Amino acid sequence: MRNNFEFLDLRAFLAVLEFSSFNEAAKHLNLSTPALSRRIKAFEEAVGAQLIERTTRRVAPTQIGRELMPLVRRLVDEFEESILSISDLGGRHRAQVTLASLPTAAFYFLPRVIEAFNKRFPGIRFRIMDLSANEGLDAVANGEVEFGINIIGAVRDDLKFTPLIEDPFVLACRRDHPLAATSSLPWSALQGHPLIGVSKKSGNRAVLDRALAMADQQLDLNWFYEVNHLSTSLGLVEAGLGISVLPQLATPQREHPLIATVKLVDPVVTRSIGIVERRGARFSPSAVRFREMLVNEWHGA
């Protein structure tokens, strides 16, 4: 029996149980499946008991493995948090988290998460690329950033998506517009009004067009203006040039003196926003911690 074990043995144990798969856990840790199996075997020898049951149908912890999980997770968490807190990582070596984010998420949501993160781990820098959905996916796939915050919908074998929230599309119009007088409207109520929409090449427009097509309604919407950025559409609305359909996250988050937002129903159309990362990619310790905080903060938003 071995008298000790390595830190990667602990991470291997947790990863197998998290993914319920040796193959997926191996990809996550950037190991071969045989190498991962050796890690698990080594850890079991160190403990002196079988920790994981592996059959053709499932991978699950044994009773001892289940009891050991909280202790192992606490050990891993404490070690990684200590690594992040040491002066070399937070100071002289200038650790950095790199991510690509939709502009709306970068503006309205990221600042408070970064503020909370910096209070725990001061000195870690951020490089945030505010990119369109397609550009953000490419930045993640190319390794230009560690992960991204993006619209979920594209099917790409090289990327993994983790859903976070559903962001509904709403109507934005001036407060003196006739459609501003109600709390919700069917899409059919928009017919006959000049609409301001984002480019047909954008991810938001693709989500919207796909959902309306699936609803199978005979809508004759007048997309009179086309812009590249959601913020531009709000400027046109404010000037009284038309009404706009855009994600709720892109609308003013506080009471606006000129712009009102109205829920759109029949159908309710939402975009799924989440974390996108390369399959098999290994995050830096600082990115691992920030990703965890991001998930916790957003789910509590």
Side-chain angles (χ1 to χ4, degrees), residues 24 27 137 140-141 153-161 276-281:
E24 290 299 316
K27 291 178 183 177
L137 291 178
V140 174
V155 179
R156 293 182 58 157
D157 294 336
D158 57 337
L159 298 178
K160 173 186 173 183
F161 294 89
V276 56
E277 54 201 273
R278 294 191 313 282
R279 293 189 183 278

Side-chain angles (χ1 to χ4, degrees), residues 60-244:
T62 62
Q63 181 61 37
I64 295 177
R66 191 175 297 109
E67 294 173 358
L68 198 59
M69 278 181 66
L71 174 60
V72 173
R73 189 172 298 281
R74 187 164 65 250
L75 287 172
V76 171
D77 287 348
E78 289 178 355
F79 177 79
E80 292 184 340
E81 191 158 323
S82 296
I83 289 295
L84 280 176
S85 299
I86 62 177
S87 59
D88 278 348
L89 185 60
R92 293 192 296 271
H93 287 179
R94 302 297 292 172
Q96 179 173 267
V97 177
T98 61
L99 69 150
S101 175
L102 296 171
T104 48
F107 184 79
Y108 290 112
F109 180 76
L110 273 181
R112 78 166 183 262
V113 186
I114 293 174
E115 181 182 15
F117 184 83
N118 280 339
K119 287 180 179 178
R120 292 184 60 187
F121 310 111
I124 295 178
R125 298 181 301 161
F126 282 81
R127 184 168 69 91
I128 303 168
M129 301 177 66
D130 49 339
L131 302 171
S132 68
N134 293 330
E135 292 171 335
L137 291 178
D138 289 339
V140 174
N142 296 335
E144 193 173 354
V145 296
E146 293 186 90
F147 65 92
I149 301 171
N150 211 308
I151 300 171
I152 296 175
V155 179
R156 293 182 58 157
D157 294 336
D158 57 337
L159 298 178
K160 173 186 173 183
F161 294 89
T162 303
L164 292 177
I165 63 168
E166 293 296 318
D167 186 22
F169 282 84
V170 298
L171 168 69
C173 59
R174 280 181 59 99
R175 291 191 173 278
D176 56 4
H177 194 280
L179 295 181
T182 183
S183 60
S184 66
L185 287 168
W187 282 84
S188 57
L190 307 186
Q191 296 180 124
H193 294 276
L195 282 170
I196 304 161
V198 291
S199 168
K200 292 181 180 180
K201 296 180 181 179
S202 76
N204 285 314
R205 184 62 179 270
V207 170
L208 187 57
D209 289 346
R210 190 183 310 117
L212 292 179
M214 290 178 63
D216 196 25
Q217 293 190 15
Q218 300 300 317
L219 295 174
D220 184 20
L221 299 178
N222 179 20
W223 296 105
F224 196 79
Y225 301 96
E226 183 176 299
V227 299
N228 286 329
H229 301 288
L230 295 172
S231 57
T232 304
S233 68
L234 287 176
L236 297 179
V237 169
E238 191 170 327
L241 296 175
I243 60 177
S244 182

